[in-house]
Amino acid sequence: MSSSQPFQPSSPLYGSEAGRRRKSRFTYRNLAHLATFTTTCPLRVVAHVDLDAFYAQCEQVRLGVAADQPLAVQQWEGLIAINYPSRKFGLTRMITPTEAKKLCPHIILQHVATWKEGDEKWQYHNGAAKNIATHKVSLDPYRMESRKILACIKESLPANLQKVEKAGTDEFYLDLSAHVHAILLERYPELAGPAPYDDPTECLPLPPSTVLDWQADAVVDLGSEEAEDMDPDWDDFAILIGSEIVRNIRAVIWEKLKYTVSGGIAQNKILAKLGSAHQKPNQQTVIRNRAVQQFLFDFKFTKIRGLGGKLGDQVASIYGSELVKDLLPVPLEQLKQKLGDDTGTWVYQVIRGMEASEVNARTHIKSMLSAKSFRPSINTIEQANRWLRIFVADIFSRLVEEGVLENKRKPKILNLQHRHGGQVSSRSTQLPQGRKLDETVLFDLAKGVMRQIVAEGNVWPCSNISMSVSGFEEGIVGNMGISSFLVKGDEAKALNTSREPSAISATERPDKRRRVELQAPIGIHKFLAKTETTEEHDDEFGAQITGVDRLTAEDQEAEVRTHTDAVADSSPHNVETIGMHGNNERPSHQARITDYICKRCNISVDTADDLRSHEDWHFAKDLQDEDRAPTKPLAIVGDKKHTLTSTKKKPARGKVEKGQTKLAFG
């Protein structure tokens, strides 16, 4: 990689006194905020890493093609990716494969993988461009490589200090602030001490060095207003460390996967993204805080994220220019008047490089789509069903990679969209949550939805069908059925035999026996192990669970003990009093404050799901008792309230209490 400028010290060893300060411009509070990913921290470091001509690189590596060989990725009669050697011949994505061959006769044109009916997996088919009527494009090979790249990035960062956002198949945002903070304290121990007078608003000491080695980075010049002989401050040191981290990530991706990556390092996401595209390919650009104005001055603001669409066109139309430098003199009040308060304020700030959006550490997708535009159109439901079979195979193969077979993640909704002329019909259905999801289930549901659309009439000829699944949620793994709590056959006999010497008297109350038996290995703590609650994802690239307190393994263990130690850790005389105290007596262990309390044993749980699970455990225990004493009928609590704290005498075991029913097991 070559640098845009030769290495030079950021200031002479003996700079002028005018360029030197006695203290840093940054405070101990700023430093503390760096460790917490605070988006408004002036020391913040954000990176954007972007694969160079990603689809073309994937095919180049897969085919073992030399790096200087011109190559383009073809989809039907268009080009969707062109590697950098091809661009020297004037090739762009706007030309056809035939035109590309004329401009560069030795170019390799590789068609994307496609699905065809009957395939269990996408394949690279010879002459795929001629099969547009019977094949469907698959971009799965590039998605798979994207996952490998994401894994490389995460492996290169400390697990507890990383924040990575997947912004697309070939680009990722990294908030490096916490990692940079840790390295700063390691390299400069003087920063680790407490603030003078315990005042976090006190300024940090000046950095010990005035020389920064940017190595091969493309460092944006500071411009004429602020010369390079100005001593660097801690924001320069922070962004230098960030550049080292990104350089290492790019090296790891190249070493493991042979892909080149460009990077941008700056204070926020907008600047970092502009930086990664500044010196492509295979370079990284550093935009120091002091260089932001110089960097943006000659930019077209329509290239800034958020200003490239209708809003950018509107602003350009109002002021007759697309350049940042022509918009900078416009007062804030005028922008607010023309664009509205919020939009005007945002435009005013963003053209000055001010932005504080968060790097969202969400890498899971929200939905999966498989679609096909028909040329020529299709005219029967039989043709539509054949394409649905391909859509199902396409989507299910991606679901497998998401962990649907292991119940790690599952979608909740299947949607089908159908286009006839200018009319679009859309229908959805719920996916079954109580049974295994496979291709047959998906295909049957898709056909059912298609029949609903066809039943409405006026649907042929059809020019496009798309199928999607959405509403992904984390699956529940490790659940045990009731049978796992029951002991049967020889094991049950052996257990009964081993318990005979210490058998509980038949005159003892059933509640006491149930409480004592909870100390056995098949205890309630096994059944009440918490599972993660999930909600529908709200971002295309992450899952965010909201309104749910996640528990660590230690927290879960402690939470379970809250419910069980009143039984498992009590001495025998305490066991007899638990659940048997009078109305005016307090139990030996205070119950948790909750709305979910078991009416049979007074144990409290956190959620309705936990309460149902707990009641299932009681049911399992009753079945186990019935298995040991088959002549005695099983009593099931009915709808009426049943309070264990009641002092009334309970009926003898085997008799049916009012509000209870007998279950006959044959």
Side-chain angles (χ1 to χ4, degrees):
M1 297 184 294
S2 61
S3 174
S4 63
Q5 61 183 37
F7 164 69
Q8 59 179 342
S10 60
S11 72
L13 288 177
Y14 301 98
S16 64
E17 287 300 320
R20 299 187 64 84
R21 299 180 306 275
R22 303 181 67 178
K23 282 190 176 183
S24 168
R25 293 182 293 114
F26 303 101
T27 67
Y28 282 86
R29 175 173 290 156
N30 296 148
L31 183 64
H33 285 170
L34 184 66
T36 59
F37 298 106
T38 303
T39 59
T40 55
C41 176
L43 297 172
R44 187 188 189 203
V45 181
V46 174
H48 181 261
V49 292
D50 190 8
L51 277 292
D52 301 318
F54 181 48
Y55 290 2
Q57 276 206 86
C58 288
E59 298 302 340
Q60 176 185 322
V61 171
R62 183 182 69 85
L63 297 172
V65 174
D68 59 353
Q69 167 65 47
L71 181 147
V73 179
Q74 180 179 350
Q75 179 175 315
W76 310 132
E77 290 302 318
L79 302 179
I80 61 172
I82 301 171
N83 70 356
Y84 285 88
S86 300
R87 302 181 190 189
K88 297 176 182 178
F89 295 87
L91 273 67
T92 69
R93 288 186 295 178
M94 305 302 293
I95 66 175
T96 65
T98 302
E99 293 169 330
K101 276 288 187 182
K102 289 180 181 178
L103 292 172
C104 183
H106 61 291
I107 190 173
I108 295 175
L109 297 177
Q110 175 59 55
H111 198 281
V112 297
T114 58
W115 288 87
K116 72 174 182 179
E117 187 178 9
D119 285 351
E120 294 184 359
K121 186 176 174 60
W122 49 263
Q123 297 181 43
Y124 285 93
H125 295 94
N126 293 327
K130 301 176 181 178
N131 300 319
I132 187 172
T134 57
H135 286 219
K136 195 194 85 65
V137 165
S138 173
L139 301 181
D140 282 2
Y142 313 128
R143 294 189 187 101
M144 293 169 62
E145 294 305 299
S146 178
R147 292 188 187 99
K148 295 178 184 178
I149 293 164
L150 178 60
C152 284
I153 293 173
K154 290 192 168 186
E155 289 169 4
S156 303
L157 300 170
N160 61 330
L161 299 177
Q162 61 178 246
K163 206 171 186 183
V164 181
E165 175 184 333
K166 184 176 181 181
T169 307
D170 60 346
E171 58 177 326
F172 307 86
Y173 287 105
L174 291 69
D175 192 331
L176 303 174
S177 301
H179 192 187
V180 168
H181 177 268
I183 295 175
L184 276 174
L185 297 190
E186 180 182 344
R187 291 185 184 176
Y188 308 101
E190 61 268 27
L191 296 178
Y197 318 110
D198 290 328
D199 182 1
T201 62
E202 280 286 322
C203 291
L204 295 167
L206 280 175
S209 172
T210 60
V211 179
L212 300 179
D213 183 2
W214 299 101
Q215 296 189 27
D217 294 349
V219 182
V220 176
D221 296 331
L222 295 180
S224 58
E225 292 186 6
E226 190 164 5
E228 285 287 350
D229 61 358
M230 185 84 174
D231 284 341
D233 208 335
W234 288 114
D235 58 338
D236 298 309
F237 280 74
I239 209 165
L240 173 66
I241 294 172
S243 72
E244 295 171 3
I245 296 170
V246 173
R247 191 181 302 115
N248 177 67
I249 289 172
R250 293 170 55 228
V252 169
I253 293 173
W254 170 256
E255 180 182 351
K256 292 186 176 181
L257 303 174
K258 301 306 178 188
Y259 296 137
T260 62
V261 183
S262 294
I265 304 97
Q267 189 183 27
N268 56 54
K269 292 170 71 173
I270 284 181
L271 291 174
K273 183 173 176 64
L274 292 173
S276 68
H278 188 56
Q279 293 286 342
K280 273 182 168 285
N282 199 26
Q283 290 200 68
Q284 61 185 51
T285 299
V286 176
I287 307 170
R288 293 169 288 177
N289 293 349
R290 292 180 289 161
V292 170
Q293 183 176 347
Q294 174 71 14
F295 178 68
L296 291 176
F297 191 74
D298 291 318
F299 252 96
K300 287 186 176 182
F301 59 74
T302 51
K303 290 187 177 181
I304 297 176
R305 188 182 64 162
L307 277 171
K310 292 182 179 179
L311 176 59
D313 293 340
Q314 179 186 358
V315 175
S317 175
I318 293 173
Y319 294 100
S321 175
E322 293 184 353
L323 298 178
V324 169
K325 63 182 178 183
D326 293 330
L327 205 57
L328 286 173
V330 179
L332 172 60
E333 290 304 318
Q334 186 181 130
L335 285 172
K336 291 166 70 173
Q337 182 182 3
K338 298 284 187 180
L339 305 173
D341 287 353
D342 293 341
T343 303
T345 301
W346 181 82
V347 171
Y348 182 87
Q349 292 176 343
V350 82
I351 61 175
R352 290 166 171 76
M354 296 184 290
E355 190 256 354
S357 62
E358 186 177 0
V359 172
N360 296 308
R362 295 177 295 206
T363 55
H364 284 158
I365 60 174
K366 178 186 176 181
S367 63
M368 293 179 180
L369 173 72
S370 188
K372 174 70 176 177
S373 294
F374 304 115
R375 305 173 201 165
S377 299
I378 61 174
N379 294 282
T380 67
I381 193 171
E382 289 75 21
Q383 288 177 296
N385 285 342
R386 285 198 291 269
W387 282 106
L388 290 182
R389 169 64 74 183
I390 294 176
F391 295 165
V392 166
D394 180 14
I395 288 179
F396 190 74
S397 68
R398 286 143 64 185
L399 287 173
V400 170
E401 293 176 4
E402 285 291 310
V404 70
L405 295 181
E406 297 83 14
N407 200 35
K408 293 179 181 178
R409 300 189 75 222
K410 287 184 67 176
K412 296 190 296 185
I413 299 170
L414 181 145
N415 178 270
L416 214 59
Q417 194 171 78
H418 172 285
R419 180 181 294 274
H420 163 65
Q423 176 183 346
V424 177
S425 301
S426 182
R427 291 289 180 272
S428 300
T429 186
Q430 292 283 336
L431 292 170
Q433 299 300 305
R435 58 189 175 117
K436 183 179 178 181
L437 185 63
D438 56 25
E439 285 191 58
T440 301
V441 173
L442 274 180
F443 186 46
D444 289 343
L445 288 171
K447 287 192 297 183
V449 176
M450 177 57 70
R451 284 195 295 269
Q452 294 177 23
I453 294 175
V454 172
E456 297 177 359
N458 195 28
V459 295
W460 310 116
C462 171
S463 60
N464 179 279
I465 295 178
S466 66
M467 173 181 165
S468 64
V469 293
S470 60
F472 278 82
E473 60 181 12
E474 304 301 316
I476 299 175
V477 295
N479 268 10
M480 297 181 291
I482 287 179
S483 59
S484 63
F485 297 93
L486 304 181
V487 182
K488 300 179 179 179
D490 295 337
E491 187 179 354
K493 293 179 181 178
L495 186 62
N496 284 335
T497 302
S498 64
R499 288 186 177 181
E500 282 178 0
S502 59
I504 300 174
S505 170
T507 59
E508 285 193 31
R509 297 174 61 170
D511 297 308
K512 290 169 61 178
R513 183 175 68 178
R514 178 164 57 248
R515 283 296 185 154
V516 173
E517 288 177 352
L518 282 175
Q519 299 177 65
I522 310 175
I524 191 170
H525 58 284
K526 294 286 187 182
F527 197 75
L528 283 180
K530 283 185 175 288
T531 55
E532 230 171 59
T533 307
T534 60
E535 296 179 0
E536 184 175 351
H537 294 296
D538 63 353
D539 189 85
E540 184 174 358
F541 308 109
Q544 183 180 18
I545 310 302
T546 58
V548 179
D549 292 329
R550 299 280 188 95
L551 298 181
T552 63
E554 292 80 8
D555 292 333
Q556 291 176 3
E557 185 178 346
E559 194 76 6
V560 170
R561 281 200 299 268
T562 303
H563 300 305
T564 60
D565 60 3
V567 175
D569 297 335
S570 298
S571 60
H573 66 274
N574 282 337
V575 169
E576 294 188 12
T577 61
I578 297 173
M580 297 169 56
H581 49 277
N583 291 336
N584 296 324
E585 296 177 0
R586 295 182 60 84
S588 58
H589 292 263
Q590 184 174 352
R592 290 169 56 86
I593 300 175
T594 175
D595 293 331
Y596 303 103
I597 301 176
C598 175
K599 297 176 182 178
R600 296 184 64 174
C601 62
N602 262 9
I603 280 183
S604 61
V605 293
D606 291 337
T607 67
D609 287 339
D610 285 346
L611 181 59
R612 285 191 291 270
S613 298
H614 178 78
E615 290 171 344
D616 285 344
W617 179 87
H618 278 303
F619 182 68
K621 284 292 297 173
D622 289 336
L623 288 180
Q624 184 175 353
D625 293 340
E626 178 68 20
D627 187 51
R628 294 173 182 169
T631 59
K632 295 183 179 181
L634 176 67
I636 304 296
V637 176
D639 295 332
K640 293 191 176 183
K641 293 184 178 180
H642 184 72
T643 307
L644 285 179
T645 56
S646 172
T647 57
K648 292 182 179 180
K649 186 176 181 181
K650 294 184 179 180
R653 187 171 180 82
K655 292 184 179 181
V656 181
E657 193 175 0
K658 185 177 180 180
Q660 297 181 337
T661 58
K662 289 185 178 180
L663 292 182
F665 295 93

